[in-house]
Amino acid sequence: MRFFKDLNQSEKLEFFNSFDLVFCDCDGVIWQNLHDALPGSADAVNHLIKLGKKIAFVTNNSLIPSELQLEKFSKININIEKHHLIHPAQSIADYLESLKFNGLILCFGSPAFKAYLQDRGFQLVQGCDGLVGNSIIELRNAIYSTDVVKAVVIDVEFNCTAWKLMRAQMHLKDPECLFIAGAADPKVPFGGHDFIGPGAFIQVLEDATERKSIVLGKPGSGLRDILLQKFNIQHKNRVLFIGDSLKSDVQFGKMCGFQTMLVLTGATKLRDLEQFAHQHEETGPDIVAESLKDIIHLV
């Protein structure tokens, strides 16, 4: 693990020349909050593009519709194609289409996530967002549905309820029912604190069903396979993954065989990195930068 600021000019150029394709996380790398870009992040991205690097953005955030995310990029003068913005809802839809999936989906996700799947032609179970009373009969009717569910899909769901998890567990007793996860972060940052993420609910279902989910968000092997195929990656070591999370980004990049760069503008702070490096030095990032704008000083 090396700090970018400690490299000399020759080492920086050697690092820069070692990759052709960049996968970049969004929140904490490009964006400091829902609306504002981190200083210098847009200049850094456009600098890489100008110098011939191919760039795609890989985020676990399906809360914001793709069109609005692209508008945000456009406002800071980053112009990218829609298919170069990869998020869990898109990856899951691509995966289901590759299977020629045709069936009912029980979906845990945000309104934007569900709308994306529906726009891609998938049918979702309706009426699963309410509460049940204390009646055992009411609870039983909610869990033991007659719907023929062919897939359970779980992502960020702020209205997740115990009965809905129980219903998912019931459907997953059928080995033919797909078990698919999007974002699998155990914690998500919000308002300066880390809160329970979708990974916790995925783990609950995995423990309850004794099944492993197909994870199509970071840091899942399913997403790795999609990226390798989608971008026709022949030389994994010529790819750089940039992110702000040791688990979701660096671990994922390492799993893929990519080079990794960690920026300290998001989920991971210097004290977190120092603690992690002390325990897992061999799995740490290849390069650490204070922020993405450090790349501007690469040449």
Side-chain angles (χ1 to χ4, degrees):
M1 181 175 67
R2 299 180 295 170
F3 282 83
F4 190 83
K5 64 181 180 180
D6 295 334
L7 302 181
N8 60 40
Q9 187 68 4
S10 176
E11 290 170 327
K12 289 178 181 179
L13 287 172
E14 181 183 0
F15 168 67
F16 177 80
N17 291 326
S18 69
F19 59 88
D20 310 300
L21 171 63
V22 177
F23 288 127
C24 186
D25 182 34
C26 296
D27 298 319
V29 180
I30 303 296
W31 312 109
Q32 60 183 346
N33 52 46
L34 290 176
H35 307 289
D36 302 317
L38 285 157
S41 60
D43 291 336
V45 169
N46 285 317
H47 193 65
L48 288 172
I49 294 173
K50 182 179 179 181
L51 294 173
K53 305 300 181 183
K54 297 178 180 178
I55 297 184
F57 295 91
V58 182
T59 176
N60 267 359
N61 188 346
S62 292
L63 299 174
I64 303 173
S66 300
E67 292 73 17
L68 293 183
Q69 293 198 48
L70 293 173
E71 285 181 16
K72 285 176 60 179
F73 277 105
S74 180
K75 287 179 180 178
I76 61 172
N77 297 316
I78 295 178
N79 297 306
I80 58 172
E81 299 292 334
K82 187 175 182 179
H83 62 277
H84 281 176
L85 176 63
I86 296 95
H87 53 81
Q90 180 196 57
S91 300
I92 289 170
D94 290 346
Y95 177 75
L96 291 173
E97 285 182 354
S98 73
L99 299 178
K100 296 181 170 53
F101 178 85
N102 182 23
L104 195 58
I105 299 172
L106 176 62
C107 182
F108 295 71
S110 67
F113 185 96
K114 294 175 181 177
Y116 184 91
L117 293 183
Q118 290 175 313
D119 289 344
R120 291 283 292 268
F122 297 104
Q123 183 181 3
L124 308 185
V125 173
Q126 302 299 315
C128 283
D129 299 321
L131 302 176
V132 299
N134 294 323
S135 167
I136 296 299
I137 295 176
E138 187 178 352
L139 177 61
R140 180 180 178 83
N141 291 339
I143 296 173
Y144 290 94
S145 167
T146 57
D147 291 327
V148 182
V149 170
K150 294 296 184 182
V152 171
V153 171
I154 181 166
D155 191 73
V156 178
E157 167 69 89
F158 294 128
N159 295 303
C160 184
T161 58
W163 76 263
K164 190 173 178 180
L165 287 167
M166 293 174 187
R167 180 169 175 174
Q169 178 186 1
M170 185 271 294
H171 289 304
L172 289 170
K173 290 181 180 295
D174 177 3
E176 299 300 317
C177 182
L178 299 176
F179 184 13
I180 300 173
D185 310 78
K187 296 181 181 180
V188 293
F190 183 73
H193 299 278
D194 290 335
F195 291 98
I196 298 171
F201 300 113
I202 295 168
Q203 187 65 55
V204 166
L205 275 178
E206 288 185 339
D207 291 343
T209 61
E210 297 184 347
R211 292 181 57 177
K212 297 297 292 183
S213 60
I214 301 168
V215 181
L216 297 177
K218 297 178 296 182
S221 58
L223 177 60
R224 173 196 61 197
D225 297 340
I226 287 175
L227 294 180
L228 293 177
Q229 180 178 9
K230 188 181 185 76
F231 292 88
N232 192 27
I233 296 172
Q234 304 297 320
H235 304 287
K236 300 174 186 176
N237 63 325
R238 298 287 303 175
V239 179
L240 175 67
F241 199 101
I242 303 174
D244 68 311
S245 167
L246 286 166
K247 184 173 181 62
S248 295
D249 298 317
V250 173
Q251 179 180 319
F252 178 68
K254 293 285 186 181
M255 179 205 311
C256 295
F258 304 153
Q259 298 185 62
T260 57
M261 171 182 275
L262 179 75
V263 295
L264 301 177
T265 47
T268 305
K269 306 305 180 186
L270 183 59
R271 62 181 180 275
D272 304 317
L273 179 63
E274 291 172 343
Q275 181 178 1
F276 178 87
H278 179 70
Q279 299 173 345
H280 311 282
E281 184 174 357
E282 69 285 353
T283 59
D286 298 306
I287 295 287
V288 179
E290 293 181 1
S291 70
L292 191 60
K293 69 179 181 181
D294 288 356
I295 288 179
I296 298 174
H297 307 296
L298 203 55
V299 290

